[in-house]
Amino acid sequence: MADMRAFQDAVTSWATGGPDGPARDLAESLGVRTAVLLEGLSDLAAVEALAARRGRDLAAEGVFVVPMGGAMSVGCYAGLLGPPGLGLRLTGLCDEGEQGFYERGLTRAQAPLQDIYVCTADLEDELIRALGMAGVEEILRAEGDFRAWQTFQRQPAQHGRPRHQQVRRFLGTKKGRKIRYGRLLVEALAPDRTPPPLDGLLASL
């Protein structure tokens, strides 16, 4: 894992104008074969949690999971990691509204599009619908967030909104909460309730 973190640092440095040599050397020494392009850290938490549940060590399998800091960075990372750069196989997970960024970025990098898995709204929405509101609220209680959730629901801006949309918004109202719940929601899912985009992504690796 430490070596894969070093690779992450080398790729990040390369993406911001640094040299490509360290990333190339580490990719070869670690046997990296696939890069998973994710929009952010909450997606990373969910992917890592599902991999752990299924007994997968993605780093040991040569899979590099990279949170890009937003879909607008996909063109840069696809160019560095895909055919024009390190020549890795590219796959990824994106929100429905950001699909165009992925398609344009991978097309420019001459990488196939079929391994990009698209979430309806976003991954949090997929996980909330798969778990159900009763299951989500059980986790909120266990994590000590239920009272804050109830207070949030009483805000005028939330009146009339479906509860699954309310809780999706609630998860983004405090720094780090969305990342933490990305893991917790996956861990609470029944094995047969994994959202299809997330399930398909893991199965493809």
Side-chain angles (χ1 to χ4, degrees):
M1 182 63 74
D3 288 337
M4 195 60 83
R5 280 196 291 268
F7 180 58
Q8 166 79 73
D9 292 342
V11 169
T12 301
S13 174
W14 186 14
T16 54
D20 63 340
R24 291 186 184 278
D25 292 344
L26 282 166
E28 183 176 355
S29 65
L30 295 172
V32 182
R33 58 178 179 80
T34 299
V36 182
L37 306 177
L38 301 178
E39 293 186 42
L41 292 171
S42 61
D43 300 323
L44 175 64
V47 169
E48 289 183 336
L50 184 60
R53 285 192 67 179
R54 295 185 176 179
R56 302 278 302 274
D57 183 342
L58 297 181
E61 296 173 25
V63 177
F64 172 49
V65 186
V66 53
M68 301 179 296
M72 289 184 290
S73 297
V74 69
C76 173
Y77 280 93
L80 299 183
L81 301 172
L86 299 182
L88 306 179
R89 172 186 169 237
L90 299 180
T91 184
L93 189 74
C94 71
D95 301 347
E96 188 174 51
E98 313 295 351
Q99 186 175 356
F101 288 111
Y102 273 68
E103 291 178 346
R104 289 189 292 274
L106 267 68
T107 297
R108 284 198 300 270
Q110 299 179 323
L113 302 179
Q114 66 266 24
D115 290 334
I116 298 301
Y117 296 85
V118 182
C119 298
T120 300
D122 56 20
L123 182 55
E124 287 75 28
D125 182 73
E126 294 272 7
L127 291 169
I128 291 163
R129 287 187 289 108
L131 191 58
M133 278 305 304
V136 173
E137 289 188 335
E138 183 177 336
I139 297 171
L140 291 171
R141 285 191 181 92
E143 294 298 307
D145 285 329
F146 191 72
R147 181 172 294 179
W149 159 236
Q150 289 180 311
T151 300
F152 178 81
Q153 285 181 290
R154 290 194 290 270
Q155 293 180 1
Q158 302 308 315
H159 293 173
R161 296 182 68 186
R163 288 173 71 212
H164 80 277
Q165 291 183 9
Q166 291 176 339
V167 76
R168 176 172 159 241
R169 179 70 187 91
F170 173 74
L171 296 182
T173 57
K174 183 177 179 182
K175 185 176 180 180
R177 180 184 282 157
K178 192 174 177 181
I179 299 169
R180 180 162 54 98
Y181 278 89
R183 173 181 58 82
L184 292 169
L185 295 176
V186 168
E187 291 176 344
L189 286 172
D192 62 347
R193 295 291 295 168
T194 304
L198 187 58
D199 187 53
L201 174 66
L202 261 290
S204 76
L205 301 176

